[in-house]
């Protein structure tokens, strides 16, 4: 991010912030969607994050750290939306695997489905680390900074998450899993 | 599944598919909301770093336009300039905070002519051209674009350390102690690596011999929050890319005076010439029998243990808890202490203290609550506990703080109301310090109104939603250690 642009936005330059927001909005939405696995929630989180960034920007003490700081606000917004999701998600039931897909041998589709399920079972903490690391290609040190956790914790969360996702995929290779409604 | 590598490949591939989201509508909505959402106040400049060596920043930081948190400087008209003859004052090193929001928008225009920056040690006379602005903490020019800004100000703290390598990664930053003389600092700056430097050049400034350095960051090096530090290892003299810093180390009859200036590389040649003319116009007048420079700047990390302060005439002490897992508490002047634990930006907990009702701090929101000047602690607590936009969590209850009766209550902020009732932390952002100046929705506010034999003293502990339970407990722990003398 252009630091001068950030500084101008810090000083209340709406035009500058429009440029900042334009540059980051699509990426934010992509990250939020992957963490939340829900486009509506992701849009709400992205909008909230972009607005919060504008409001809080004067408090950013080092404009050079805008990227990490803004991702942190996005992650917070995702957590907030994720909490909303949990409140109503508890009333939902899991649907069974679409056996017809498995029968047709569409392993990649099954992979996606199993990954989706496995990912949904992860906590937001774990999802966030996976997305920041494997989607944004951020090193775990930066992931830790964004999440406000120790680097070791980021390693641990990633390890746990990937092990869980592997288990989800392994389960699929053994036999189609059907979950009872 | 064959291997971890396969899982990683599949997950990465899965994350990268179906990426066709459009953020256009979100952007439209957000940009439409900017007009109705005012940015929150900033504390500007004083940056605390999440460095492993517990470095914080002094006010003369890289933001470079306003030099704030330089305590005890008065910019006074003199020599018959606008405002009449000089008013020679030596503000105490713990002078009340400057008023107004720091930054170019709040600076008052300085009339062309002669002015004085009066520190406890020196009176620095300078001749100002038209168009420059300043406040009680420095002078500068902001011609409408950040990249064209300039400033000049003296340092009012003793430089005790110099970074050995300006280009070092934050985790590898190392400091070398420097002695009190001009030669000590000159030598340390000459030996400083990782920076583009010209000088030292022998010059005369204000009638005294000086060493002049001109400094730029190397293109491959990170923006630096400070090139040196005070005794508390709090950074001073920040420098960023596109900025040229000038340091004058002046020998005033054996005392070291440091004056720094900055010009962003986009500054016009006319403005740079004005800055040079201002520097050339400086006349230095030592204050007879002045106290030595403060060993530390206006803020810094608090060592674990007991600390004493006098706020609004109330002397008291408090103890910082002995915790080693994080960076600890930092103090900014006498206004507050604060601590962050979860990241490099912003504190998650702070304790503010002030007298009531005559304090220069804690304005103006309590006034908006309609609190009479002679209100009792109970009346204040009742009024504050019912402030709009907040939700009462605890109290008001009767407690003892430092051996004195007090009213205590806890609120959470539910609405962002700006500087309205419910926003108890509204100390003017005089510049500097790792805290925040308004409370935001989600913050928790703990208030203690202590009755000191008829005089009221207010403590406000604030924590954000991000604050851990242990950090919140530390607020209570610190308040529990308070002793009034």
């Amino acid at each position: 991010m252009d630091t001068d642009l950030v500084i101008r936005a810090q000083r209340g330059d709406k035009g500058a912030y429009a440029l900042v927001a334009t540059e980051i909005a699509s990426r934010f939405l992509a990250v939020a969607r992957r963490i939340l696995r829900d486009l509506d929630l992701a849009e709400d989180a992205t909008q909230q994050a972009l607005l919060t960034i504008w409001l809080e920007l004067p408090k950013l003490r080092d404009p050079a750290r805008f990227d990490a700081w803004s991702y942190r606000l996005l992650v917070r917004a995702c957590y907030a939306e994720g909490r909303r999701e949990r409140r109503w998600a508890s009333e939902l039931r899991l649907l069974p695997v679409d056996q017809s897909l498995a029968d047709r041998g569409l392993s990649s589709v099954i992979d996606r489905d199993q990954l989706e399920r496995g990912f949904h079972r992860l906590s937001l903490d774990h999802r966030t680390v996976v997305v920041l690391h494997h989607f944004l290609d951020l090193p775990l040190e930066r992931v830790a900074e964004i999440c406000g956790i120790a680097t070791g914790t980021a390693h641990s969360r990633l390890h746990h998450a990937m092990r869980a996702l592997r288990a989800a995929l392994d389960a699929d290779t053994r036999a189609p899993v059907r979950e009872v409604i | 599944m064959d291997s971890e590598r396969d899982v990683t490949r599949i997950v990465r591939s899965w994350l990268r598919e179906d990426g066709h989201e459009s953020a256009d509508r979100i952007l439209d909505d957000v940009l439409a909301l900017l007009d109705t959402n005012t940015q929150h106040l900033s504390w500007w400049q004083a940056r605390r770093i999440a460095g492993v060596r517990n470095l914080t920043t002094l006010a003369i930081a890289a933001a470079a336009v306003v030099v704030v948190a330089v305590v005890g400087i008065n910019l006074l008209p003199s020599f018959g300039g606008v405002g009449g003859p000089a008013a020679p004052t030596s503000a105490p090193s713990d002078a009340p905070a400057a008023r107004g929001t720091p930054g170019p928008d709040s600076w008052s225009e300085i009339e062309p002519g002669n002015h004085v920056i009066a520190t406890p040690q020196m009176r620095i006379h300078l001749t100002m051209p038209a168009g420059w602005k300043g406040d009680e903490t420095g002078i500068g020019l902001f011609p409408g674009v950040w990249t064209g800004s300039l400033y000049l100000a003296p340092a009012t703290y003793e430089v005790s350390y110099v970074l050995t390598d300006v280009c070092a990664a934050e985790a590898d930053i190392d400091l070398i102690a420097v002695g009190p003389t001009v030669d000590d600092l000159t030598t340390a700056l000459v030996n400083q690596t990782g920076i583009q430097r010209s000088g030292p050049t022998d010059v005369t400034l204000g009638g005294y011999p000086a060493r002049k350095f001109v400094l730029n960051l190397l293109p491959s090096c990170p923006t630096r929050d400070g090139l040196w530090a005070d005794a508390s290892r709090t950074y001073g003299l920040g420098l960023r890319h596109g900025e040229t810093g000038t340091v004058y180390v002046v020998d005033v009859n054996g005392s070291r005076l440091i004056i720094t200036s900055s010009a962003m590389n986009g500054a016009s040649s006319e403005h740079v010439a004005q800055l040079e003319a201002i520097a050339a116009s400086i006349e230095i007048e030592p204050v007879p029998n002045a106290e030595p420079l403060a060993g530390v700047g206006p803020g810094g990390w608090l060592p674990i243990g007991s600390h004493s302060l006098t706020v609004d005439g109330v002397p008291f002490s408090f103890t910082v808890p002995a915790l080693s897992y994080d960076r600890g508490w930092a103090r900014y002047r006498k206004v507050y202490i604060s601590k962050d634990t979860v990241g490099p930006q912003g504190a998650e907990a702070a304790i503010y203290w002030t007298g009531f009702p005559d304090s220069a701090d804690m304005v103006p929101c309590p006034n908006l609550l309609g609190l009479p000047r002679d209100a009792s602690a109970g009346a204040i607590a009742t009024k504050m506990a019912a402030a709009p936009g907040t939700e009462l969590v605890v109290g008001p209850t009767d407690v003892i703080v430092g051996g004195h009766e007090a009213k205590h209550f806890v609120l959470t902020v539910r609405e962002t109301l700006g500087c309205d009732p419910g926003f108890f932390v509204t100390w003017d952002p005089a510049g500097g310090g790792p805290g925040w100046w308004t409370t935001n929705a989600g913050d928790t506010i703990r208030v203690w109104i202590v009755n000191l034999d008829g005089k009221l003293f207010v403590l406000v502990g604030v924590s954000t939603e991000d604050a851990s339970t242990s950090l919140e407990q530390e607020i209570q722990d610190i308040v529990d250690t308070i002793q009034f003398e």
Side-chain angles (χ1 to χ4, degrees), chain A residues 21-176:
Chain A
T22 301
E23 184 171 330
I24 64 178
S26 294
R27 191 165 68 250
F28 270 34
L29 180 59
V31 170
R33 182 175 179 184
R34 279 153 182 80
I35 291 174
L36 294 166
R37 307 308 299 175
D38 181 294
L39 184 56
D40 288 339
L41 292 175
E43 287 182 343
D44 287 348
T46 302
Q47 178 168 325
Q48 186 55 51
L50 292 175
L51 194 57
T52 304
I53 290 169
W54 163 253
L55 293 172
E56 301 293 330
L57 201 47
K59 296 179 179 179
L60 174 62
R61 282 169 278 167
D62 185 352
R65 294 195 174 193
F66 175 83
D67 287 343
W69 175 78
S70 59
Y71 274 128
R72 189 176 175 196
L73 293 183
L74 175 66
V75 168
R76 284 185 196 172
C78 287
Y79 276 47
E81 292 301 325
R83 283 195 289 269
R84 277 181 49 202
E85 179 197 34
R86 271 206 306 275
R87 280 197 285 273
W88 58 260
S90 61
E91 299 173 6
L92 298 181
R93 295 176 180 177
L94 285 173
L95 295 172
V97 173
D98 185 343
Q99 185 63 45
S100 63
L101 291 178
D103 292 344
R104 281 182 280 163
L106 299 175
S107 60
S108 63
V109 175
I110 295 172
D111 281 352
R112 282 200 295 273
D113 186 72
Q114 290 300 99
L115 277 172
E116 192 77 47
R117 286 165 167 274
F119 203 75
H120 256 296
R121 293 190 191 104
L122 296 177
S123 70
L124 280 173
D125 289 338
H126 291 90
R127 291 189 216 172
T128 300
V129 171
V130 171
V131 171
L132 294 180
H133 183 63
H134 282 312
F135 178 63
L136 286 183
D137 287 328
L138 296 178
L140 284 172
E141 289 77 13
R142 287 202 62 203
V143 172
E145 181 186 12
I146 291 168
C147 296
I149 56 178
T151 304
T153 306
H155 277 281
S156 169
R157 286 182 185 176
L158 182 66
H159 176 73
H160 172 89
M162 295 305 290
R163 191 175 59 186
L165 292 175
R166 176 175 181 158
L169 291 167
D170 281 346
D172 179 63
T173 59
R174 286 195 299 272

Side-chain angles (χ1 to χ4, degrees), chain B residues 282-332:
Chain B
I282 287 175
E283 294 179 23
I284 297 168
E285 178 187 354
V287 173
N289 304 315
E291 292 183 0
L293 275 175
V296 298
W301 296 92
L302 292 168
I304 291 169
S306 181
H307 302 271
S308 297
L309 281 179
T310 298
V311 175
D312 293 323
V314 176
F316 67 99
S317 63
F318 62 95
T319 299
V320 172
L323 296 172
S324 59
Y325 62 82
D326 49 35
R327 294 186 295 279
W329 289 79
R331 176 175 69 84
Y332 177 66

Side-chain angles (χ1 to χ4, degrees), chain B residues 303-477:
Chain B
I304 291 169
S306 181
H307 302 271
S308 297
L309 281 179
T310 298
V311 175
D312 293 323
V314 176
F316 67 99
S317 63
F318 62 95
T319 299
V320 172
L323 296 172
S324 59
Y325 62 82
D326 49 35
R327 294 186 295 279
W329 289 79
R331 176 175 69 84
Y332 177 66
R333 299 178 66 177
K334 292 184 176 178
V335 183
Y336 66 84
I337 61 174
S338 67
K339 178 173 177 176
D340 66 89
T341 57
V342 299
Q345 294 295 332
E348 284 83 38
I351 303 174
Y352 301 75
W353 20 58
T354 181
F356 185 87
D358 294 325
S359 170
D361 296 319
M362 206 177 179
V363 290
C365 291
N367 296 336
L368 295 176
L369 288 168
L371 292 167
R373 292 179 54 81
D374 59 352
S376 66
I380 295 171
T382 301
K383 199 83 173 182
M384 294 175 82
T390 65
E391 180 178 318
L392 185 63
V393 179
V394 172
T397 59
D398 293 320
V399 297
I400 300 294
V401 175
H404 293 263
E405 292 180 351
K407 292 289 183 183
H408 172 56
F409 58 93
V410 180
L411 304 166
T412 54
V413 180
R414 292 301 180 199
E415 298 177 49
T416 299
L417 297 175
C419 190
D420 292 325
F423 273 63
F424 300 118
V425 184
T426 56
W427 283 264
D428 283 340
W436 62 96
W437 301 100
T438 59
T439 44
N440 301 306
D443 291 352
T444 298
I445 306 171
R446 301 157 185 80
V447 182
W448 294 263
I449 304 169
V450 189
N451 189 337
L452 300 174
D453 302 324
K455 180 182 175 70
L456 299 184
F457 194 71
V458 180
L459 307 169
V460 181
V462 189
S463 56
T464 66
E465 275 187 308
D466 292 335
S468 65
T469 304
S470 62
L471 183 55
E472 291 177 332
Q473 182 61 45
E474 284 183 42
I475 293 176
Q476 182 67 55
D477 292 345

Side-chain angles (χ1 to χ4, degrees), chain B residues 244-319:
Chain B
T244 297
T246 301
V247 177
Y248 297 94
V249 188
V250 193
D251 187 343
V252 184
N253 300 330
S255 296
R256 187 171 72 194
L257 170 67
I258 301 169
I259 294 177
T260 62
S261 69
S262 159
M264 297 300 289
N265 291 352
S268 70
S269 56
E270 177 192 3
H271 291 156
V272 171
Q274 287 181 355
L275 179 64
E276 291 172 350
I278 292 169
S281 75
I282 287 175
E283 294 179 23
I284 297 168
E285 178 187 354
V287 173
N289 304 315
E291 292 183 0
L293 275 175
V296 298
W301 296 92
L302 292 168
I304 291 169
S306 181
H307 302 271
S308 297
L309 281 179
T310 298
V311 175
D312 293 323
V314 176
F316 67 99
S317 63
F318 62 95
T319 299

Side-chain angles (χ1 to χ4, degrees), chain B residues 79-92:
Chain B
F79 299 155
V82 174
T89 59
S90 295

Side-chain angles (χ1 to χ4, degrees), chain B residues 27-262:
Chain B
L27 262 178
D28 290 343
D29 290 346
V30 169
L31 297 181
L33 288 168
L34 297 187
D35 286 330
T36 54
N37 285 272
T38 306
Q39 285 182 310
H40 296 160
L41 293 174
S42 66
W43 50 76
W44 283 100
Q45 299 255 325
R47 298 191 220 135
R48 196 165 56 171
I49 301 172
V52 294
R53 292 174 189 271
N54 288 358
L55 293 172
T56 56
T57 54
L58 277 176
I60 303 179
V65 175
V66 195
V67 182
V68 290
V70 179
V71 183
I73 299 177
N74 293 321
L75 184 63
L76 305 167
S78 70
F79 299 155
V82 174
T89 59
S90 295
S93 61
D94 55 357
R99 296 286 152 217
T101 304
D105 293 341
S106 68
W107 287 0
S108 45
E109 194 91 25
I110 301 172
E111 294 287 345
N114 299 318
H115 294 260
V116 171
I117 294 175
T119 77
Q121 290 77 30
M122 311 276 175
R123 301 186 73 218
I124 301 168
H125 303 260
L126 31 73
T127 303
M128 297 301 301
W132 283 64
K133 294 183 176 181
D135 60 12
E136 297 170 344
T137 59
I139 58 167
L141 184 66
F142 188 75
V145 290
W146 173 261
T147 52
S149 56
L150 311 95
Y151 82 75
L152 181 143
T156 54
Y157 55 92
E158 193 64 84
V159 173
S160 300
Y161 298 94
V162 168
L163 269 70
T164 55
D165 180 2
V166 177
C167 199
E170 192 166 299
D172 298 325
I173 288 173
D174 204 1
L175 301 172
I176 185 170
V178 297
T181 70
V182 167
D183 284 343
D184 291 334
L185 182 56
T186 299
T187 301
L189 290 176
V190 166
N191 291 332
Q192 193 173 49
T193 61
I195 192 165
Q196 182 180 325
R197 174 185 54 247
S198 72
T201 308
D202 289 330
V203 298
T204 299
L205 190 76
Y208 292 91
R211 308 273 172 74
K212 178 182 177 183
F213 294 85
V214 179
L215 307 169
N216 295 95
L217 289 180
L218 295 171
S220 59
C221 296
T223 292
R224 198 87 275 171
D225 286 324
L227 305 187
W228 58 45
D230 69 5
S232 71
R233 297 188 168 214
T234 298
Y235 273 152
L237 188 61
L239 200 62
R240 67 174 60 244
H241 292 289
E243 180 181 15
T244 297
T246 301
V247 177
Y248 297 94
V249 188
V250 193
D251 187 343
V252 184
N253 300 330
S255 296
R256 187 171 72 194
L257 170 67
I258 301 169
I259 294 177
T260 62
S261 69
S262 159

